[in-house]
Amino acid sequence: MDPECARLLPALCAVLADPRQPVADDTCLEKLLDWFKAVTEAGSSLLLLQEHPCLVELLFHVLKPQDLSSRILSFALRLAGIFAAQENCFQFLQQGELLPGLFGEPGPLGAAAWAAPSVRSGWIQGLHSLAQHPSALRFLADSGAVDTIFSLQGDPSLFVASAAGQLLVRVLDLALRGPAEGRVCPQAWDWPACARKVVCHLEDCLRSEATPRVTQALHVLTTTFGHCRGLWTQGLWARLSPLVARLLEKDPVPAPHALVDLLLGVARSPVLSSDPGLWETAAQALSRLSPTQAGPLAAGILKLQDCPQALRIQAFSILLQPLAHVLEATAQAPGTPRLLEGAAGDLMAVDTFPPSRSACVGLLCSALAHLELLQPLPQRPSPWPQAPLLAAVVTILRFCNGSAAPSSEAGGRLCAMLVGCVRVQRAALDFLGVLSQGLGPQELVTQVFAILLEYLVSPDSSPTVLKKAFQATLRWLLSSATPPGCCDLEPYAQLVLGELLAVLQKRLCSPCWEVRDSGLEFLTQMTRHWGGQGSFRQALLGSEVPELTRQLLQDPESYVRASAVAAVGQLSSWGLLTAPSSPEHPAVPQKTPLEELLLVLTTDSEGFPRRAVMRVFTEWLRDGYADVAEDPEQSVAPVLRAASRDLDWEVRVQGLELALVFLEQLLGPRGPSTAAPPGALTQALQALCRVQLFEFAFRSLFDCDRPVAQKSCDLLLFLKAKATPSGSQQEVGDGPNVASVEAALRRWQAGEQGQPLGELAPEAVLAVLRSMDLEALRDTLAESSDHVERSPQSLLQDMLATVGVLGDNEADCY
Amino acid sequence: MKLYCLSGHPTLPCNVLKFKSTTIMLDCGLDMTSTLNFLPLPLVQSPRLSNLPGWSLKDGNAFLDKELKECSGHVFVDSVPEFCLPETELIDLSTVDVILISNYHCMMALPYITEHTGFMGTVYATEPTVQIGRLLMEELVNFIERVPKAQSASLWKNKDIQRLLPSPLKDAVEVSTWRRCYTMQEVNSALSKIQLVGYSQKIELFGAVQVTPLSSGYALGSSNWIIQSHYEKVSYVSGSSLLTTHPQPMDQASLKNSDVLILTGLTQIPTANPDSMVGEFCSNLALTVRNGGNVLVPCYPSGVIYDLLECLYQYIDSAGLSSIPFYFISPVANSSLEFSQIFAEWLCHNKQTKVYLPEPPFPHAELIQTNKLKHYPSIHGDFSNDFRQPCVVFTGHPSLRFGDVVHFMELWGKSSLNTVIFTEPDFSYLEALAPYQPLAMKCIYCPIDTRLNFIQVSKLLKEVQPLHVVCPEQYTQPPPAQSHRMDLMVDCQPPAMSYRRAEVLALPFKRRYEKIEIMPELADSLVPMEIKPGISLATVSAVLHTKDNKHVLQPPPRPAQPTGGKKRKRASDDIPDCKVLKPLLSGSIPVDQFVQTLEKHGFSDIKVEDTAKGHIVLLQEAETLIQIEEDSTHIICDDDEVLRVRLRDLVLKFLQKF
């Protein structure tokens, strides 16, 4: 502990112990606890208490019957727990009878303060901290704390109840870890009394008819098997698993969600997953739970690396069931693909689908979401039923837009439940997008594009559904490139393209800005991939899309303008933004895309479009876009000028990024640097001076937004590295300019921003660069901006200041 | 209670309800889809239309070629368009006491009913309904009268000839009853029979029933109606909307506890969401105009057009269309735009509050002020001077058979740059376009129907819980084109009763009670006797006086004083014969105790049988039956009057008398 904190501590303890000076802010106490925790973890708690008797006094003070606030009481309990985590300190506190006083019957447990949830929570957390060593275990057993913990499991405050459960896990771990360490599956009679007591309690709960008690026990066990890896967990599971299995025989199964969590927790535990009984219980759970309840269990099982194949098949069929049902509902002929063949398929009774709309929708959405997560995993079920899944998703989407023809009464009901359901549409489109990773029969792929087009065309598609439909379409277009990786579209996709552009045209005119925005994003992505491809170019140039995109640069919604900027950037870099012939004013020359974007950068009132412009310029420069590549200096100069004056810090960062790319093009790439040849360097520096980069960069060093300063620092360091190769120290120049530059820099640092730098000579720049300690500046900037305010000293001062113990001049008010 | 269904059109209903002693007509909609069988009436001589070839039978017989013309494979009647009237034969319409109008679209057949059937009653409607209804009629009459047509085809209506015609003429129903449009004189006369009402106003009909209009949320002044007596309530729901558009929101609460709910006027396009359609409308409009094309919107002069103009008001600036002129052409355009601004009390809350600012409730006022929206009575006159392209034109009639729209279809139909956007749901757009084929201009179908859809109906019915629902048969099954869409039908328990044109329904509920008032002096004389806690009975002797469907119990006249023998008794002095009444009995007979009593009185060999309605006590020896039921007791014995009287007295011991 640093001396200043040590000096402030007695005063702080006095404040905390004084009920007349309430601490207003709970977070201060939390921070204080964090600090003490850090201090005790770094050194001896005992020593700390001996050096600072005020702390023990504070704890003793709490024991006195008085009107202390519940938050201070809670704080003291937690603080005592932190100190007592070390065994010698525990004993020190025991000698003073402090711990029984705090955590035993005489303490708050029996007092009125116990009614406050924060006190109960502090009591649990204190015990949780101190339960680290055998002495603590004895203390817990002797003080009767375990019974209190049992009762706190049902506490009305959820935080307290949950913490009580975790404390039980801690107790169990502490009790069993020691004696059973290293032994294979110790038997229950070997266990310490404390552990036996907890386990008996858990058994009682599992046998209970009251679902909340069962749930508590299941939560404790889930946490135990999730966090404890000791071999003793095998013994525990062996003892309790029959009770867990018996829960599954009840009708209805109590606490299904907690049960699923427990089974998955056990299955994931490396110590327990070899138990064959576990898989039987899991299989039983899959068959006993309703499809909605079993879904998460099935998905969890399928994500496991090792588990019996039969169980995987069972789990997979649970996830497939709702989709299989959908397929059945429209199956016209026996030839249609089936998802579940044989026994599993026959098991599925149509009526098992939930009768209520919300349950049915929930089941379908969760099945789709689980399958979506499974698809990319290496351990996903094999063979993966790609074709029936595709057919099922297409059918779901058809049900949702009312175009599917159900073949049965159940199908009719399903149709009525799903029609117009946005939730299912979104889930199905997401999954359809993921399915593009696999191939499908041509006929199905045709259907996929057809249904996607239907959704894109339909006026009833909500903006979110439309966005997902665009995303799925893009994924399918990408996957239909032949051969994979090649940029050419498949003939079918080329046919779709015409219709897509017609849709896009209409969508770009939508009165709903979200729709215009996702349309533009889709266009940008498409152009990125196929901008160089003949049929795409032809189709695009034959449509109104490029002109509409250009018009959307003036959209009233800033997000749309930003997307339009990106789209214009992408279109023009492929030469797809031909200057339109204005029917009204054929003579008026149109602005080039470069000019148009520069206009956005300089005039747009919102940040998003300006940021987008900066990204486009950076991309253009990096990729050598013709208009920019012709004369990079000429193109970059006005952009940098505008960016340097921008009020949005992200635009300024982007500006520096653009400068960095420009610099790389002049001096070679970043990396373990080699100095640039002197001739190139001089030329580059002159160019940089001409575009007034240095004024921007130096000014940014003192920008009030730290990312800007960091970026600028990086840029100047890069330049410095290029200018002064390692090992060679050049003479620090002392030309007439240097002094004035440094003077300007000092003024900027002091916050005076008005002073311009004026004309700079390359030599002066170099000299200034060499004289600056940019590395040190980088390190300072790397520290978070509140590092001063976060120090413990500042915390103690703040707390004292709020109660007026410190003089005003000492307060660190922020 | 009976319902006579005079119209088969679910959104243009015309039903007659016989309730108590009243005969009430609910709406009188005019089915104008019949006009789709006729050739358009061009405002300017159209060589294309006048040169259409006449139609001849397959055998080459061309006797109909003057009446029927062929255009792109379709056959049209070349005559003044005619309308399909509601049934006039099903019930004698002169007996109709009142006509209740729900909205201005549902009153277009009014002149036919009030002027040609001997109707003597009163019509009830709200003020905006009447005013805008008048505009719609005026426009219709104007559209048809300004293009006089010498020819009136009737030959084709001959049943034997009609059979030979191609579809859809062959299948047209009741063509013999189709009538030409009414005149302005008839309109004025019809409208003069209307009495204005306000929402929630209670109107007594002959003391028998009370009718009340409620806001239905569909159009300015649109109403649903409650028709109720003291113990029965019938709700008539027609053209209602739960969407937030310009009219006052729908009053649902007042529809609760109905015995019968007659449900008509649901959305005609249940699959089209009005919001999506407005979006589609705007997108297509912008796309066309940006491309240099013109947009034609066939529409009625009131209703959705107000909402469309409001959407466009918000949209045009953002879409960069500020320089594009919007034209609204109708003989009643000016009145319609102005009327909408003055009916503040009939508007939704938002628009009402604007009036207090004061601002015009609809933003089209600003569009007019800034010259973005211009309105003209017709294409002739000022319009031809101001006309500038590309532009957007709103004009009627949505059937494309008459009105200025015919001119624009002829003018713009040849260019694929132009677009016609259909927003009114009343006519099939494909049929409307048939006489203009081949057509190059783009056609977009964005039907905007804000009336209730089936999901909203099912929520509404759950909310108001009527005992019985009656609706057109079209609502009880999915639309024929989407037979799998079980969600597109009225789903309620018990299932809705359906009706079709020319059907008479006996509504499934019986009147059980009638309210009768007791005069205070009579009430004073009653001596109630409590027979159960909370239930008291009294016998009443009174004279029932019924006048104007109100029933009053009055004290009976005093018994006549003994008169002098000389004075002749006058007939008017006759008084009802007041016999001494037997006491009334009440209570129930406990069978076990009764049997015990019988045994005490010497009856033996008693057998008790339980029946569905009560018990039979069998006195086997005496060959006698005592049948005890909830509301009657019979002693059946063979001519043994002494025994009967003994038994009767034993029974009476268990009952109370008063």
Side-chain angles (χ1 to χ4, degrees), chain B residues 454-476:
Chain B
F454 290 99
I455 297 172
Q456 292 164 336
V457 163
S458 105
K459 276 188 191 152
L460 176 75
L461 292 181
K462 269 188 200 139
E463 180 84 19
V464 305
Q465 299 207 318
L467 289 183
H468 301 281
V469 175
V470 179
C471 64
E473 62 174 349
Q474 290 91 331
Y475 296 163
T476 56

PDB file of all heavy atoms in Angstrom, chain B residues 454-476:
ATOM      1  N   PHE B 454     -59.169 -10.088 -41.341  1.00  0.00           N
ATOM      2  CA  PHE B 454     -59.734 -11.191 -40.554  1.00  0.00           C
ATOM      3  C   PHE B 454     -59.076 -11.325 -39.184  1.00  0.00           C
ATOM      4  O   PHE B 454     -59.714 -11.770 -38.235  1.00  0.00           O
ATOM      5  CB  PHE B 454     -59.666 -12.491 -41.349  1.00  0.00           C
ATOM      6  CG  PHE B 454     -60.614 -12.493 -42.504  1.00  0.00           C
ATOM      7  CD1 PHE B 454     -60.193 -12.208 -43.796  1.00  0.00           C
ATOM      8  CD2 PHE B 454     -61.965 -12.722 -42.295  1.00  0.00           C
ATOM      9  CE1 PHE B 454     -61.077 -12.181 -44.848  1.00  0.00           C
ATOM     10  CE2 PHE B 454     -62.865 -12.693 -43.348  1.00  0.00           C
ATOM     11  CZ  PHE B 454     -62.428 -12.417 -44.625  1.00  0.00           C
ATOM     12  N   ILE B 455     -57.818 -10.951 -39.085  1.00  0.00           N
ATOM     13  CA  ILE B 455     -57.165 -11.023 -37.769  1.00  0.00           C
ATOM     14  C   ILE B 455     -57.821 -10.002 -36.844  1.00  0.00           C
ATOM     15  O   ILE B 455     -58.151 -10.291 -35.694  1.00  0.00           O
ATOM     16  CB  ILE B 455     -55.663 -10.718 -37.900  1.00  0.00           C
ATOM     17  CG1 ILE B 455     -55.007 -11.769 -38.777  1.00  0.00           C
ATOM     18  CG2 ILE B 455     -54.991 -10.671 -36.535  1.00  0.00           C
ATOM     19  CD1 ILE B 455     -53.579 -11.470 -39.140  1.00  0.00           C
ATOM     20  N   GLN B 456     -58.046  -8.815 -37.388  1.00  0.00           N
ATOM     21  CA  GLN B 456     -58.687  -7.769 -36.570  1.00  0.00           C
ATOM     22  C   GLN B 456     -60.111  -8.165 -36.205  1.00  0.00           C
ATOM     23  O   GLN B 456     -60.556  -7.936 -35.088  1.00  0.00           O
ATOM     24  CB  GLN B 456     -58.679  -6.440 -37.338  1.00  0.00           C
ATOM     25  CG  GLN B 456     -57.281  -5.879 -37.505  1.00  0.00           C
ATOM     26  CD  GLN B 456     -57.211  -4.808 -38.581  1.00  0.00           C
ATOM     27  OE1 GLN B 456     -58.029  -4.767 -39.489  1.00  0.00           O
ATOM     28  NE2 GLN B 456     -56.212  -3.942 -38.491  1.00  0.00           N
ATOM     29  N   VAL B 457     -60.800  -8.808 -37.161  1.00  0.00           N
ATOM     30  CA  VAL B 457     -62.170  -9.230 -36.878  1.00  0.00           C
ATOM     31  C   VAL B 457     -62.168 -10.241 -35.750  1.00  0.00           C
ATOM     32  O   VAL B 457     -62.979 -10.165 -34.824  1.00  0.00           O
ATOM     33  CB  VAL B 457     -62.816  -9.842 -38.140  1.00  0.00           C
ATOM     34  CG1 VAL B 457     -64.043 -10.652 -37.780  1.00  0.00           C
ATOM     35  CG2 VAL B 457     -63.177  -8.746 -39.101  1.00  0.00           C
ATOM     36  N   SER B 458     -61.241 -11.179 -35.808  1.00  0.00           N
ATOM     37  CA  SER B 458     -61.279 -12.212 -34.774  1.00  0.00           C
ATOM     38  C   SER B 458     -60.967 -11.598 -33.416  1.00  0.00           C
ATOM     39  O   SER B 458     -61.559 -11.983 -32.406  1.00  0.00           O
ATOM     40  CB  SER B 458     -60.377 -13.376 -35.173  1.00  0.00           C
ATOM     41  OG  SER B 458     -59.224 -13.378 -34.457  1.00  0.00           O
ATOM     42  N   LYS B 459     -60.081 -10.610 -33.368  1.00  0.00           N
ATOM     43  CA  LYS B 459     -59.819  -9.918 -32.096  1.00  0.00           C
ATOM     44  C   LYS B 459     -61.067  -9.151 -31.649  1.00  0.00           C
ATOM     45  O   LYS B 459     -61.429  -9.166 -30.476  1.00  0.00           O
ATOM     46  CB  LYS B 459     -58.660  -8.935 -32.254  1.00  0.00           C
ATOM     47  CG  LYS B 459     -57.316  -9.605 -32.101  1.00  0.00           C
ATOM     48  CD  LYS B 459     -56.203  -8.577 -32.064  1.00  0.00           C
ATOM     49  CE  LYS B 459     -54.868  -9.261 -32.190  1.00  0.00           C
ATOM     50  NZ  LYS B 459     -53.851  -8.442 -32.785  1.00  0.00           N
ATOM     51  N   LEU B 460     -61.703  -8.486 -32.609  1.00  0.00           N
ATOM     52  CA  LEU B 460     -62.884  -7.694 -32.287  1.00  0.00           C
ATOM     53  C   LEU B 460     -63.984  -8.586 -31.713  1.00  0.00           C
ATOM     54  O   LEU B 460     -64.607  -8.267 -30.704  1.00  0.00           O
ATOM     55  CB  LEU B 460     -63.383  -6.980 -33.554  1.00  0.00           C
ATOM     56  CG  LEU B 460     -64.666  -6.181 -33.400  1.00  0.00           C
ATOM     57  CD1 LEU B 460     -64.389  -4.894 -32.651  1.00  0.00           C
ATOM     58  CD2 LEU B 460     -65.291  -5.863 -34.750  1.00  0.00           C
ATOM     59  N   LEU B 461     -64.182  -9.746 -32.374  1.00  0.00           N
ATOM     60  CA  LEU B 461     -65.257 -10.615 -31.909  1.00  0.00           C
ATOM     61  C   LEU B 461     -64.945 -11.169 -30.522  1.00  0.00           C
ATOM     62  O   LEU B 461     -65.826 -11.342 -29.697  1.00  0.00           O
ATOM     63  CB  LEU B 461     -65.474 -11.756 -32.905  1.00  0.00           C
ATOM     64  CG  LEU B 461     -66.044 -11.326 -34.266  1.00  0.00           C
ATOM     65  CD1 LEU B 461     -66.243 -12.515 -35.176  1.00  0.00           C
ATOM     66  CD2 LEU B 461     -67.365 -10.593 -34.081  1.00  0.00           C
ATOM     67  N   LYS B 462     -63.666 -11.456 -30.275  1.00  0.00           N
ATOM     68  CA  LYS B 462     -63.294 -11.924 -28.940  1.00  0.00           C
ATOM     69  C   LYS B 462     -63.578 -10.837 -27.906  1.00  0.00           C
ATOM     70  O   LYS B 462     -63.960 -11.110 -26.779  1.00  0.00           O
ATOM     71  CB  LYS B 462     -61.811 -12.279 -28.911  1.00  0.00           C
ATOM     72  CG  LYS B 462     -61.583 -13.729 -29.244  1.00  0.00           C
ATOM     73  CD  LYS B 462     -60.145 -14.108 -29.029  1.00  0.00           C
ATOM     74  CE  LYS B 462     -59.849 -15.367 -29.818  1.00  0.00           C
ATOM     75  NZ  LYS B 462     -58.578 -15.371 -30.470  1.00  0.00           N
ATOM     76  N   GLU B 463     -63.354  -9.633 -28.320  1.00  0.00           N
ATOM     77  CA  GLU B 463     -63.513  -8.507 -27.412  1.00  0.00           C
ATOM     78  C   GLU B 463     -64.994  -8.231 -27.115  1.00  0.00           C
ATOM     79  O   GLU B 463     -65.377  -8.076 -25.969  1.00  0.00           O
ATOM     80  CB  GLU B 463     -62.878  -7.282 -28.090  1.00  0.00           C
ATOM     81  CG  GLU B 463     -62.943  -6.004 -27.324  1.00  0.00           C
ATOM     82  CD  GLU B 463     -61.822  -5.873 -26.325  1.00  0.00           C
ATOM     83  OE1 GLU B 463     -60.819  -6.586 -26.470  1.00  0.00           O
ATOM     84  OE2 GLU B 463     -61.981  -5.065 -25.398  1.00  0.00           O
ATOM     85  N   VAL B 464     -65.813  -8.195 -28.167  1.00  0.00           N
ATOM     86  CA  VAL B 464     -67.191  -7.751 -27.953  1.00  0.00           C
ATOM     87  C   VAL B 464     -68.155  -8.911 -27.701  1.00  0.00           C
ATOM     88  O   VAL B 464     -69.254  -8.697 -27.222  1.00  0.00           O
ATOM     89  CB  VAL B 464     -67.709  -6.863 -29.108  1.00  0.00           C
ATOM     90  CG1 VAL B 464     -66.794  -5.697 -29.342  1.00  0.00           C
ATOM     91  CG2 VAL B 464     -67.856  -7.660 -30.383  1.00  0.00           C
ATOM     92  N   GLN B 465     -67.712 -10.125 -28.046  1.00  0.00           N
ATOM     93  CA  GLN B 465     -68.452 -11.343 -27.722  1.00  0.00           C
ATOM     94  C   GLN B 465     -69.941 -11.290 -28.016  1.00  0.00           C
ATOM     95  O   GLN B 465     -70.781 -11.389 -27.107  1.00  0.00           O
ATOM     96  CB  GLN B 465     -68.249 -11.665 -26.252  1.00  0.00           C
ATOM     97  CG  GLN B 465     -66.793 -11.892 -25.942  1.00  0.00           C
ATOM     98  CD  GLN B 465     -66.592 -12.799 -24.779  1.00  0.00           C
ATOM     99  OE1 GLN B 465     -67.289 -12.676 -23.799  1.00  0.00           O
ATOM    100  NE2 GLN B 465     -65.641 -13.700 -24.870  1.00  0.00           N
ATOM    101  N   PRO B 466     -70.312 -11.189 -29.270  1.00  0.00           N
ATOM    102  CA  PRO B 466     -71.733 -11.266 -29.598  1.00  0.00           C
ATOM    103  C   PRO B 466     -72.211 -12.721 -29.471  1.00  0.00           C
ATOM    104  O   PRO B 466     -71.405 -13.645 -29.606  1.00  0.00           O
ATOM    105  CB  PRO B 466     -71.775 -10.810 -31.052  1.00  0.00           C
ATOM    106  CG  PRO B 466     -70.424 -11.122 -31.590  1.00  0.00           C
ATOM    107  CD  PRO B 466     -69.457 -11.080 -30.462  1.00  0.00           C
ATOM    108  N   LEU B 467     -73.505 -12.893 -29.216  1.00  0.00           N
ATOM    109  CA  LEU B 467     -74.016 -14.258 -29.134  1.00  0.00           C
ATOM    110  C   LEU B 467     -74.027 -14.917 -30.505  1.00  0.00           C
ATOM    111  O   LEU B 467     -73.722 -16.088 -30.640  1.00  0.00           O
ATOM    112  CB  LEU B 467     -75.435 -14.249 -28.552  1.00  0.00           C
ATOM    113  CG  LEU B 467     -75.544 -13.924 -27.071  1.00  0.00           C
ATOM    114  CD1 LEU B 467     -76.992 -14.028 -26.627  1.00  0.00           C
ATOM    115  CD2 LEU B 467     -74.686 -14.869 -26.246  1.00  0.00           C
ATOM    116  N   HIS B 468     -74.410 -14.141 -31.516  1.00  0.00           N
ATOM    117  CA  HIS B 468     -74.449 -14.693 -32.873  1.00  0.00           C
ATOM    118  C   HIS B 468     -73.836 -13.691 -33.841  1.00  0.00           C
ATOM    119  O   HIS B 468     -73.992 -12.491 -33.649  1.00  0.00           O
ATOM    120  CB  HIS B 468     -75.894 -14.966 -33.312  1.00  0.00           C
ATOM    121  CG  HIS B 468     -76.593 -15.924 -32.411  1.00  0.00           C
ATOM    122  ND1 HIS B 468     -76.413 -17.275 -32.477  1.00  0.00           N
ATOM    123  CD2 HIS B 468     -77.462 -15.713 -31.395  1.00  0.00           C
ATOM    124  CE1 HIS B 468     -77.141 -17.866 -31.538  1.00  0.00           C
ATOM    125  NE2 HIS B 468     -77.780 -16.929 -30.862  1.00  0.00           N
ATOM    126  N   VAL B 469     -73.156 -14.241 -34.863  1.00  0.00           N
ATOM    127  CA  VAL B 469     -72.595 -13.374 -35.903  1.00  0.00           C
ATOM    128  C   VAL B 469     -73.270 -13.738 -37.216  1.00  0.00           C
ATOM    129  O   VAL B 469     -73.446 -14.917 -37.524  1.00  0.00           O
ATOM    130  CB  VAL B 469     -71.069 -13.580 -36.021  1.00  0.00           C
ATOM    131  CG1 VAL B 469     -70.504 -12.768 -37.168  1.00  0.00           C
ATOM    132  CG2 VAL B 469     -70.391 -13.200 -34.719  1.00  0.00           C
ATOM    133  N   VAL B 470     -73.662 -12.723 -37.955  1.00  0.00           N
ATOM    134  CA  VAL B 470     -74.239 -12.945 -39.283  1.00  0.00           C
ATOM    135  C   VAL B 470     -73.374 -12.195 -40.279  1.00  0.00           C
ATOM    136  O   VAL B 470     -73.011 -11.035 -40.033  1.00  0.00           O
ATOM    137  CB  VAL B 470     -75.682 -12.388 -39.347  1.00  0.00           C
ATOM    138  CG1 VAL B 470     -76.269 -12.593 -40.722  1.00  0.00           C
ATOM    139  CG2 VAL B 470     -76.552 -13.034 -38.291  1.00  0.00           C
ATOM    140  N   CYS B 471     -72.980 -12.862 -41.356  1.00  0.00           N
ATOM    141  CA  CYS B 471     -72.109 -12.175 -42.326  1.00  0.00           C
ATOM    142  C   CYS B 471     -72.377 -12.706 -43.728  1.00  0.00           C
ATOM    143  O   CYS B 471     -72.993 -13.755 -43.887  1.00  0.00           O
ATOM    144  CB  CYS B 471     -70.658 -12.342 -41.936  1.00  0.00           C
ATOM    145  SG  CYS B 471     -70.107 -14.035 -41.973  1.00  0.00           S
ATOM    146  N   PRO B 472     -71.889 -12.009 -44.752  1.00  0.00           N
ATOM    147  CA  PRO B 472     -72.053 -12.512 -46.120  1.00  0.00           C
ATOM    148  C   PRO B 472     -71.324 -13.845 -46.269  1.00  0.00           C
ATOM    149  O   PRO B 472     -70.331 -14.083 -45.592  1.00  0.00           O
ATOM    150  CB  PRO B 472     -71.387 -11.443 -46.998  1.00  0.00           C
ATOM    151  CG  PRO B 472     -71.225 -10.258 -46.121  1.00  0.00           C
ATOM    152  CD  PRO B 472     -71.195 -10.722 -44.722  1.00  0.00           C
ATOM    153  N   GLU B 473     -71.821 -14.673 -47.162  1.00  0.00           N
ATOM    154  CA  GLU B 473     -71.229 -16.012 -47.281  1.00  0.00           C
ATOM    155  C   GLU B 473     -69.748 -15.959 -47.681  1.00  0.00           C
ATOM    156  O   GLU B 473     -68.985 -16.852 -47.336  1.00  0.00           O
ATOM    157  CB  GLU B 473     -72.011 -16.852 -48.293  1.00  0.00           C
ATOM    158  CG  GLU B 473     -72.006 -16.286 -49.702  1.00  0.00           C
ATOM    159  CD  GLU B 473     -72.666 -17.229 -50.710  1.00  0.00           C
ATOM    160  OE1 GLU B 473     -72.945 -18.389 -50.364  1.00  0.00           O
ATOM    161  OE2 GLU B 473     -72.881 -16.787 -51.845  1.00  0.00           O
ATOM    162  N   GLN B 474     -69.350 -14.879 -48.358  1.00  0.00           N
ATOM    163  CA  GLN B 474     -67.949 -14.791 -48.783  1.00  0.00           C
ATOM    164  C   GLN B 474     -66.991 -14.817 -47.591  1.00  0.00           C
ATOM    165  O   GLN B 474     -65.826 -15.166 -47.735  1.00  0.00           O
ATOM    166  CB  GLN B 474     -67.704 -13.490 -49.559  1.00  0.00           C
ATOM    167  CG  GLN B 474     -68.340 -13.422 -50.937  1.00  0.00           C
ATOM    168  CD  GLN B 474     -69.740 -12.829 -50.898  1.00  0.00           C
ATOM    169  OE1 GLN B 474     -70.451 -12.939 -49.895  1.00  0.00           O
ATOM    170  NE2 GLN B 474     -70.154 -12.224 -52.005  1.00  0.00           N
ATOM    171  N   TYR B 475     -67.463 -14.404 -46.419  1.00  0.00           N
ATOM    172  CA  TYR B 475     -66.565 -14.330 -45.261  1.00  0.00           C
ATOM    173  C   TYR B 475     -66.462 -15.651 -44.492  1.00  0.00           C
ATOM    174  O   TYR B 475     -65.683 -15.752 -43.557  1.00  0.00           O
ATOM    175  CB  TYR B 475     -67.051 -13.250 -44.280  1.00  0.00           C
ATOM    176  CG  TYR B 475     -67.017 -11.852 -44.831  1.00  0.00           C
ATOM    177  CD1 TYR B 475     -67.738 -10.832 -44.219  1.00  0.00           C
ATOM    178  CD2 TYR B 475     -66.264 -11.536 -45.962  1.00  0.00           C
ATOM    179  CE1 TYR B 475     -67.731  -9.540 -44.719  1.00  0.00           C
ATOM    180  CE2 TYR B 475     -66.260 -10.256 -46.477  1.00  0.00           C
ATOM    181  CZ  TYR B 475     -66.997  -9.254 -45.856  1.00  0.00           C
ATOM    182  OH  TYR B 475     -66.977  -7.986 -46.359  1.00  0.00           O
ATOM    183  N   THR B 476     -67.280 -16.632 -44.888  1.00  0.00           N
ATOM    184  CA  THR B 476     -67.262 -17.868 -44.104  1.00  0.00           C
ATOM    185  C   THR B 476     -66.383 -18.943 -44.745  1.00  0.00           C
ATOM    186  O   THR B 476     -66.327 -20.055 -44.271  1.00  0.00           O
ATOM    187  CB  THR B 476     -68.681 -18.431 -43.927  1.00  0.00           C
ATOM    188  OG1 THR B 476     -69.242 -18.612 -45.223  1.00  0.00           O
ATOM    189  CG2 THR B 476     -69.533 -17.478 -43.113  1.00  0.00           C
TER     190      THR B 476
END
